[in-house]
Amino acid sequence: MKKSIQAMLGLWSVFHLLLLVSLPVSAHHVLGRPAYSLNEDSNTPPSMAVETQVGNFFVTYMAFPAFPKANEQGRVNLYATRIDTGLIFDGEVRFYVRDDHWLQSVSKDSEEQLGTQLIDDGVYRQGFRFNQEGSYIIRASFEADGEPYEIDFPLQVGEISRVSTLGSVVGIVVLILLAANIIQSRRIVRAKVQSASAENAKNRHNGKSI
Amino acid sequence: MTMTHPGLPMAWALWVLTSMVLCTAWALLAPAPTEFTTRRRSFQSVPFVAGLSRYLVVHSWPLLLLKILFVGVFLLVIAAGLWGTAIPERNLATALTWNLWWSGIVIAILFTGSAWCAVCPWDTIASVLVKFRLWRRSQSNSLLRLTLPKKLRNLWPAIILFVALSWLELGVGVTASPYATALMAMLMVVFATLIMVLYKDKAFCRYFCPVGRTVGVYSQLAPIALRPVDDDICSRCETLECFHGNDSIDACPTLLVMGRLQESTYCTSCGNCTQSCPSQNINWTMRSPSVEVIQEARPHMDEAFFMLTLLVLTSFHGVTMLEDWQYSISQLGQLIGDSGQLLTSFTVGLLLSWLLPILFYFSLISVCLLWLPSGKQALSREKLFSSFAFISIPLAFSYHIAHNLNHLLREGTDWMALIANPLGIGSLPLSMVEKHQRHSGMWLSQEMLFSLQALLLVVGFYLSMQVLRYRARRLFQLRVYHFVPVLLFAISVTGFNLWLLMQDMVMRM
C-alpha cells in the first residue's frame, strides 16, 4: 500500500510539475499553411503567405497578388531569419521556377532561373510574369553556414481545373462497383453450376437406386 | 496578424476549482445508492406530440427529405471545395465543415442524440451507389456480403481513423484548404462505399467511422435516444423485427436488439427498427441525461481505448494552439532535420500526446489494483481499465463543447454572404477591419461565454464523479476512496483542460 501511495504521488507530482512550469502563453500560427490577407491601409494587392522552417531558418514567402493571372505582373517576397538568434539572413538568394508536376519534382532539367536577389530592407523581392496559366513551383535557393538551402513554394497562376480530381474519384467508385458486380456475378454463376451439378448427381444416384 | 480569443479569467477558474473540490469531497464522502434513479418517457406518450412523433418515425418520407437535404448540402460543399476560392473563410466548404459542422455536431448530440448518423451523407451516398436504396432490402449485385475479419470487429479501425483525421486536421491543415476539405469528403464517401461493397451490414458505420463512433460514444450522455415505448411489448416479442428487419425493411445495420439495448454507442438512428416494428413500439425517448455512461453501458477494452482517445485528442486540439507546442515541434524539427510543414515532428508529437495520457491512465489503474482492499486485489486490470474509462466521456464532452463554443460564438461567419456566394468567387481575403468585427461581434456576451465554459467543466467533472461513484458501487461493491487514483485522473484531466481554456486561443480563420 505504501509503495502504491508513493507511486501515485510521484505520477501526480510529475504531471502537475509539467503544468506549473508551462507559463501562460499566447496563440500560434501554423507552419506551412497558406494564409490570405488584405491590408486595406496599403495599396498592395491581397497576398498569400506561407511560413516554413528549414534547417536553422524560419522562412516566410509571400506572393503578390494572392491569385496571379497569366500575363500579369506579380512578385514574391522572401524573408529568412535564424531560429536561434532571430537574425535576418542577408546573403544572396536565387529564385527558380518549374511546372508543378510529380514528374518534374525528380528532374531539374525544366527548371528555369527567375533571378538572383540581394536583400533590400530585410526582404528578397523577385518579380514574375507568366504567359500561361498553371501550377508552378518557385524554388528559393541560398547558402548558409556552408550548407545549401532549397525551399519550394507553390504558385498557382490562373484557375485550376478540378475536373480530373472529380473524375478520378468517380472513376474509383465505378471501378469498385464494377469489380464487385463481376465478382458477384461469377459467384452467382458458380453457385448455380454447383447447385445444378449437385441436382444432377442426386438425380443420377436416385436413378441408379431405382 | 494573428487574432486570438482571450482565455477564461482567473475568477472563473477559481470558481471551477472550488466546485471541483466540493464535488470531490462529496464523491469521497457520500456513498452511491445501489441504483441510479432514472426516468424515461417516450415522445409517443407526451400529449399533443404523441401522434406527430409516431407519424414521423413510422413513415419514411420525413427522413428521406432530411437525407436529400443533407446530401444536397454535402454536394455543394464538394463543389465549393473543388471550384471555389482558396480563401477558407470565403468558401462554404471550409466554413460549413469546420466552423459549423465540426463544432456544432457535438453540441447537437445534446439535443438529438445520435441522429446525425441517420442523415449522414457519407452513408446515404454509399447506400444509393451500392444498394440503389436507402433502407429497403436490397438484392444489389454490388454487395459481396463478406464477413469482416474478426480482428477488425472492434473500435480499433475507428480509433486509427480518428487519429488520422486529427493528423489531417491539425497537422496537414485541411481546415484551411477548401480543396483538401472537399477531397477528404469525397475520400470518405469512397471508403464508405468500398466497405459497404465488401462487407455485410454497415461495417463502416459500426467499426470504421470516427465521426459516427464519436457521436455514438457521446450520445451515451444525451437525454434523448431511440428506445422501446413499452418494455413489456419487447420482452414478449419473439420475432425481433428490429434486429432481423421484415420483408421490405432491412435488418438493423449495427446488429442491435431494441428490447435489450442498454447503450447508444452503435445506434445510428437509421429508423429501420421504428419502421419494421409491427407494434410501432420504438420511438424517440427522453431519459435521465448520462444514465448510460453512469451505469448502463457495459465496459469493453476497445471502447475504453476509443473513449480515452477521444478525451486525449479533444484536449490535444487545445494543446496545438499553444506557443509552447509550436516551439517544441520546431525544436524537434531542427533535431531530426525535418523541414517544411514539419509533418514528421508533428506526427511524433501527436503520437506521444495520444499515448502518454493513456499510459498515465494505465499506470493509475495499476496503482489502483495495489490500493484496493485485500479481498478485491484479484480484480483484473482490464476490467478496471475498461470500467472506469467511462469517466472520460463527460470530461471529453465538456471540454469539447467548451473549446468549440469559442469557435462557434467568436468566429462569426458571414453566413448570408456565404449562402449568396458559396464558392466565394471574386471575393477578397478578410481585411483587418473585418477580422476585428468578427472578433468583437459575438453571438453571446463574453461573460456569458466564460460562464458557460466554466459551467461545462464543472458539469463534466460532476458527471465523471457520478460515473466513479456508481461504477465503484455496482461493479465492485466499493466506494470512491478505493479508487483514488482514478479520481486523481479525473482531477488532472479537468485541471489540465481548465488551464487550456485559460490560455488565449487563435482564431481558426
Side-chain angles (χ1 to χ4, degrees), chain A residues 13-53:
Chain A
S13 313
V14 169
F15 188 78
H16 285 270
L17 197 66
L18 285 172
L19 288 187
L20 286 172
V21 294
S22 307
L23 296 168
V25 291
S26 62
H28 73 299
H29 40 248
V30 180
L31 289 175
R33 292 182 200 174
Y36 300 88
S37 56
L38 172 70
N39 186 351
E40 59 271 64
D41 299 330
S42 155
N43 58 1
T44 52
S47 64
M48 186 271 281
V50 179
E51 291 177 328
T52 190
Q53 176 181 327

Side-chain angles (χ1 to χ4, degrees), chain A residues 69-85:
Chain A
K69 292 188 172 70
N71 298 312
E72 198 179 81
Q73 192 66 38
R75 73 165 196 276
V76 291
N77 284 8
L78 190 104
Y79 319 77
T81 52
R82 284 191 166 276
I83 293 173
D84 49 358
T85 59

Side-chain angles (χ1 to χ4, degrees), chain A residues 8, chain B residues 28 364-365 367-369 371-373 376 379 384 387-388 391 465 468-469 471-473 475-490:
Chain A
M8 196 181 64
Chain B
L28 283 168
L364 289 175
I365 288 295
V367 174
C368 226
L369 276 173
W371 181 276
L372 287 174
K376 297 281 181 181
L379 282 173
L384 281 182
S387 300
F388 289 117
I391 61 165
M465 290 300 103
L468 192 52
R469 286 175 76 225
R471 287 189 176 261
R473 175 73 188 255
L475 297 173
F476 308 105
Q477 293 77 50
L478 292 170
R479 288 181 58 179
V480 170
Y481 57 75
H482 292 112
F483 299 100
V484 166
V486 184
L487 176 70
L488 290 181
F489 181 75

Side-chain angles (χ1 to χ4, degrees), chain A residues 16-157:
Chain A
H16 285 270
L17 197 66
L18 285 172
L19 288 187
L20 286 172
V21 294
S22 307
L23 296 168
V25 291
S26 62
H28 73 299
H29 40 248
V30 180
L31 289 175
R33 292 182 200 174
Y36 300 88
S37 56
L38 172 70
N39 186 351
E40 59 271 64
D41 299 330
S42 155
N43 58 1
T44 52
S47 64
M48 186 271 281
V50 179
E51 291 177 328
T52 190
Q53 176 181 327
V54 184
N56 298 323
F57 290 92
F58 279 129
V59 180
T60 304
Y61 160 94
M62 293 181 84
F64 298 89
F67 305 106
K69 292 188 172 70
N71 298 312
E72 198 179 81
Q73 192 66 38
R75 73 165 196 276
V76 291
N77 284 8
L78 190 104
Y79 319 77
T81 52
R82 284 191 166 276
I83 293 173
D84 49 358
T85 59
L87 288 174
I88 297 171
F89 172 74
D90 57 1
E92 191 180 79
V93 177
R94 293 177 298 282
F95 291 90
Y96 302 88
V97 65
R98 66 170 195 271
D99 287 338
D100 184 7
H101 189 272
W102 64 276
L103 279 175
Q104 305 282 347
S105 61
V106 291
S107 156
K108 280 192 175 180
D109 296 345
S110 58
E111 202 166 76
E112 195 179 309
Q113 184 160 2
L114 283 171
T116 302
Q117 301 300 330
L118 295 173
I119 195 157
D120 174 22
D121 201 17
V123 186
Y124 297 89
R125 295 185 177 84
Q126 175 64 59
F128 63 77
R129 185 190 181 99
F130 290 90
N131 296 325
Q132 286 184 336
E133 289 192 343
S135 302
Y136 298 94
I137 294 287
I138 302 282
R139 169 168 289 177
S141 172
F142 59 89
E143 274 192 27
D145 309 325
E147 285 192 39
Y149 282 80
E150 288 186 333
I151 310 137
D152 289 349
F153 298 100
L155 184 72
Q156 178 62 40
V157 177

